[in-house]
């Protein structure tokens, strides 16, 4: 019998040929210009990844932006910020537009630069020279000045936390015009110039008084200003009731070490705040943030607070689609998935790994469809039994506990073909850096196996969730294949729309974004 791969059937010969080698050395398909920019915008954090450095990622996104229209750059920036809750990439694309299309930039700036951290990031990028200039320039300077002049004192105080550049640096750069004596005094206080103490905002005046006598009531200023000083357990308990939701989630162990949970009423207040549905929505909380928070809480955090985190996790999964029919979810558990999902940053790497995100997506989809099969893979499919009735965090932890080996994206599809399984939807969650499986007939093994599966299941759809900004895929997009990048609620929405036939393409979803 002749070797099958040399004498493939007609269907296999018409599969698209690979056109790029990925970072792991395997053959792959390059995303089209618009899809590549959308994927980078939704997953990139300008940090070192498992396979490539931050510099390469920056070069990739600027090259991708140059290959598409400024209008699509604008839509990608707004989509990444508003739907994907990304930070660095939307700011970079906004800065890019100040030179690529100065008339379009103000519209995007107003949608993307929505808080002080984003403002500082935008200014930092503009001054770096990476988008073609080392100064703000007249129009960007006007945009920053208008942001400052329109911001409330409370918003400016929130923006005054952080450096490189600090808000004081930015004020010195753009010279905003103070519209009132209060605003003039605030700017003077901020940048260390003479000011009228009597005209200071009441919050700043109270802070200055508190610094002189910390027995006074805590002033209503950003909690970071206060935690730079020694605080009592009671004062920490008060802060726990007023800091932002995300800050509360991130400081639970610190609050516990301060002894605040021993103060009557504090644990109940914190538990209620963590479980508040409206606060969850405002904070744009991502399920993986809650899963990791649950895994990091120490013994000093009370059980009712831990229970509130779990309740919040379940609530945050409300947007996960319930995919009908025979659903197979395939999380990549190979070695590269152990890298931080937002990349490596010295002293600031996220504890959330790519494997954690893949595991959570799989566990969440299993919650919606308890008949779904979960096929973790690395070199081969990993045998692992999950309880569909178990808590999402429990199943996610089981999956995340399996991490190692090479990447073989075609492995779960090959298994389904050997079983001649009936399939309606396959969801693969991976960094797409497959290299174990060889190419076949000029196509990836993933495309070849999917083609075989489609021959038996003509209506089947493949959804590939790409959670790393490497710019290649193992299954090229077409009517039955969706490549979508990211790890936020926006991805769940894209999955639901594709599975229900509302859209055929992720680029189409980004193009619907209003600027």
């Amino acid at each position: 019998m002749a070797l099958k791969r040399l004498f493939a059937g007609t269907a296999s010969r018409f599969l698209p040929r690979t056109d790029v080698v990925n970072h792991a050395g395997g053959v792959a398909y390059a995303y089209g210009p618009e899809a590549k920019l959308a994927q980078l915008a939704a997953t990139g954090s300008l940090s070192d990844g498992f396979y490539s450095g931050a510099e390469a990622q920056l070069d990739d996104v600027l090259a991708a932006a140059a290959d598409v229209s400024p209008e699509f750059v604008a839509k990608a920036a707004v989509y990444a910020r508003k739907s994907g809750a990304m930070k660095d990439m939307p700011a970079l694309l906004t800065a890019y537009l100040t030179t690529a299309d100065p008339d379009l930039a103000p519209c995007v700036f107003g949608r993307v630069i929505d808080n002080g951290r984003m403002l500082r990031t935008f200014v930092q990028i503009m001054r770096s020279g990476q988008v073609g200039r080392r100064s703000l320039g007249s129009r960007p300077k006007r945009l920053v000045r208008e942001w400052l002049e329109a911001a409330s004192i409370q918003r400016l105080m929130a923006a005054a936390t952080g450096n490189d550049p600090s808000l004081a640096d930015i004020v010195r750069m753009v010279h905003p015009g103070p519209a009132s004596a209060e605003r003039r005094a605030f700017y003077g206080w901020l940048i260390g110039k003479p000011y009228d103490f009597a005209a200071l905002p009441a919050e700043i005046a109270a802070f200055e008084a508190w610094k002189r006598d910390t027995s006074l009531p805590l002033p209503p200023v950003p909690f970071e200003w206060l935690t730079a000083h020694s605080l009592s357990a009671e004062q920490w308990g008060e802060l726990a009731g007023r800091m932002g939701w995300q800050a509360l989630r991130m400081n639970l162990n610190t609050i516990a070490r301060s002894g605040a949970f021993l103060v009557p009423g504090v644990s109940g207040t914190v538990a209620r705040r963590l479980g508040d549905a409206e606060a969850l929505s405002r904070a744009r909380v991502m399920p993986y943030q809650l899963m990791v928070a649950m895994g990091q809480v120490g013994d000093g955090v009370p059980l009712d607070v831990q229970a509130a985190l779990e309740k919040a996790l379940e609530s945050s999964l409300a947007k996960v689609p319930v995919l009908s029919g025979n659903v197979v979810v395939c999380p990549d558990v190979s070695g590269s998935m152990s890298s931080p999902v937002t990349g490596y940053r010295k002293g600031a790497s996220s504890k959330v790994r790519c494997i954690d995100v893949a595991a959570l997506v799989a566990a969440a989809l299993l919650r919606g469809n308890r008949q779904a099969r979960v096929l973790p893979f690395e070199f081969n499919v990993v045998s692992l039994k999950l309880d569909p009735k178990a808590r999402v965090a429990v199943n996610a932890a089981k999956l995340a506990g399996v991490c190692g080996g090479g990447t073989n994206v075609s492995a779960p599809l090959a298994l389904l073909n050997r079983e001649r399984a009936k399939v309606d939807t396959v969801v693969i969650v991976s960094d797409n850096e497959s290299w174990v499986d060889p190419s076949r007939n000029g196509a990836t093994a993933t495309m070849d196996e999917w083609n075989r599966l489609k021959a038996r299941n003509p209506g089947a759809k493949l959804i590939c969730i790409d959670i790393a900004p490497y710019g290649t895929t193992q299954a090229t997009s077409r009517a039955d294949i969706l490549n979508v990048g990211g790890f936020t609620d926006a991805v769940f929405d894209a999955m639901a729309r594709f599975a229900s036939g509302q859209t055929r393409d992720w680029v189409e979803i980004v193009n619907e974004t209003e600027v």
Side-chain angles (χ1 to χ4, degrees):
M1 189 74 175
L3 194 61
K4 282 189 175 181
R5 71 170 181 266
L6 296 180
F7 302 98
T10 303
S12 295
R13 292 204 306 272
F14 286 103
L15 289 174
R17 301 181 68 85
T18 57
D19 53 10
V20 70
V21 174
N22 63 27
H23 291 285
V27 296
Y29 300 101
Y31 285 122
E34 290 184 337
K36 182 175 182 178
L37 181 65
Q39 193 253 356
L40 286 164
T43 62
S45 56
L46 300 177
S47 300
D48 293 333
F50 189 90
Y51 288 106
S52 65
E55 293 80 7
Q57 194 179 131
L58 175 61
D59 291 343
D60 282 347
V61 73
L62 292 176
D67 286 340
V68 303
S69 69
E71 289 78 13
F72 189 81
V73 175
K75 291 173 184 288
V78 175
Y79 176 87
R81 180 61 185 157
K82 295 303 182 184
S83 297
M86 298 297 286
K87 301 178 181 70
D88 294 352
M89 280 296 180
L92 172 62
L93 295 178
T94 303
Y96 169 85
L97 285 170
T98 64
T99 57
D101 193 330
D103 293 331
L104 186 57
C107 300
V108 179
F109 184 94
R111 300 288 309 282
V112 170
I113 310 303
D114 53 10
N115 62 35
R117 185 194 187 283
M118 293 297 294
L119 183 74
R120 294 197 310 274
T121 302
F122 172 80
V123 172
Q124 178 190 18
I125 291 170
M126 290 294 299
R127 297 179 69 205
S128 70
Q130 295 290 355
V131 296
R133 62 201 321 168
R134 289 193 172 275
S135 63
L136 286 177
S138 58
R139 187 175 293 190
K141 184 179 289 188
R142 187 177 74 244
L143 290 173
V144 173
R145 186 187 304 118
E146 290 172 350
W147 191 98
L148 294 171
E149 291 172 350
S152 65
I153 289 294
Q154 290 71 28
R155 200 176 190 194
L156 289 173
M157 287 195 300
T161 301
N163 296 294
D164 300 324
S166 66
L167 184 65
D169 295 331
I170 294 173
V171 167
R172 294 188 189 99
M173 288 178 214
V174 304
H175 306 291
S180 65
E182 179 187 60
R183 188 68 62 111
R184 183 178 294 106
F186 172 77
Y187 287 147
W189 173 84
L190 182 69
I191 65 177
K193 295 289 187 181
Y195 60 89
D196 180 4
F197 186 87
L200 272 179
E203 299 92 336
I204 304 296
F207 178 59
E208 289 298 319
W210 180 82
K211 286 195 295 183
R212 293 190 295 271
D213 181 4
T214 55
S215 67
L216 292 172
L218 292 179
V221 296
F223 84 94
E224 295 93 342
W225 298 9
L226 302 172
T227 55
H229 303 267
S230 179
L231 301 175
S232 67
E234 289 75 15
Q235 287 173 320
W236 267 105
E238 184 178 343
L239 282 185
R242 70 159 73 163
M243 66 176 63
W245 196 97
Q246 293 284 17
L248 180 61
R249 167 186 68 85
M250 296 170 66
N251 283 278
L252 290 175
N253 289 333
T254 303
I255 294 169
R257 286 193 297 270
S258 75
F261 284 126
L262 300 177
V263 176
V266 171
S267 65
T269 297
V270 171
R272 284 192 297 274
R273 294 197 63 212
L274 289 174
D276 182 79
E278 186 177 340
L280 284 165
S281 178
R282 284 198 308 270
R284 292 193 285 181
V285 180
M286 299 179 193
Y288 73 82
Q289 293 174 324
L290 290 158
M291 181 184 71
V292 173
M294 290 172 59
Q296 292 179 338
V297 293
D299 293 337
V301 178
L303 292 178
D304 60 339
V305 173
Q306 297 184 42
L309 279 175
E310 185 163 355
K311 178 182 175 183
L313 173 59
E314 297 293 339
S315 298
S316 71
L317 295 172
K319 292 185 179 180
V320 176
V322 177
L323 302 179
S324 60
N326 298 309
V327 177
V328 183
V329 190
C330 312
D332 181 352
V333 295
S334 63
S336 62
M337 296 288 283
S338 64
S339 61
V341 72
T342 54
Y344 296 97
R345 292 191 181 188
K346 187 176 181 179
S349 293
S350 170
K351 290 183 173 18
V352 184
R353 304 166 299 167
C354 291
I355 181 63
D356 297 317
V357 174
L360 182 62
V361 171
L365 289 172
L366 183 62
R367 167 59 58 85
N369 186 334
R370 295 187 176 182
Q371 304 306 312
R373 292 183 67 184
V374 179
L375 299 178
F377 68 91
E378 25 97 350
F379 279 110
N380 299 297
V381 173
V382 176
S383 178
L384 185 67
K385 185 172 179 58
L386 300 180
D387 180 0
K389 297 180 181 180
R391 302 192 314 273
V392 169
V394 171
N395 279 334
K398 280 187 179 179
L399 285 165
V402 184
C403 193
T407 309
N408 184 353
V409 173
S410 66
L413 298 177
L415 175 63
L416 294 171
N417 281 330
R418 289 195 298 273
E419 295 176 348
R420 301 190 63 79
K422 299 180 74 172
V423 175
D424 294 300
T425 306
V426 177
V427 180
I428 296 176
V429 193
S430 173
D431 62 1
N432 268 334
E433 293 300 295
S434 196
W435 61 272
V436 176
D437 41 354
S439 61
R440 298 178 184 175
N441 315 308
T444 62
T446 300
M447 282 298 293
D448 187 71
E449 294 291 353
W450 178 248
N451 200 53
R452 295 171 188 270
L453 188 148
K454 283 284 291 185
R456 295 191 324 278
N457 303 276
K461 291 188 176 182
L462 175 63
I463 300 173
C464 302
I465 302 177
D466 192 346
I467 56 178
Y470 297 131
T472 64
T473 179
Q474 290 296 298
T476 189
S477 297
R478 64 186 197 190
D480 60 328
I481 301 175
L482 173 70
N483 282 287
V484 58
F487 39 88
T488 67
D489 287 341
V491 173
F492 294 134
D493 177 65
M495 289 173 59
R497 294 179 60 179
F498 179 73
S500 64
Q502 295 179 48
T503 184
R504 293 177 54 186
D505 191 87
W506 184 31
V507 171
E508 179 184 326
I509 294 173
V510 175
N511 264 320
E512 292 173 357
T513 303
E514 293 184 7
V515 176

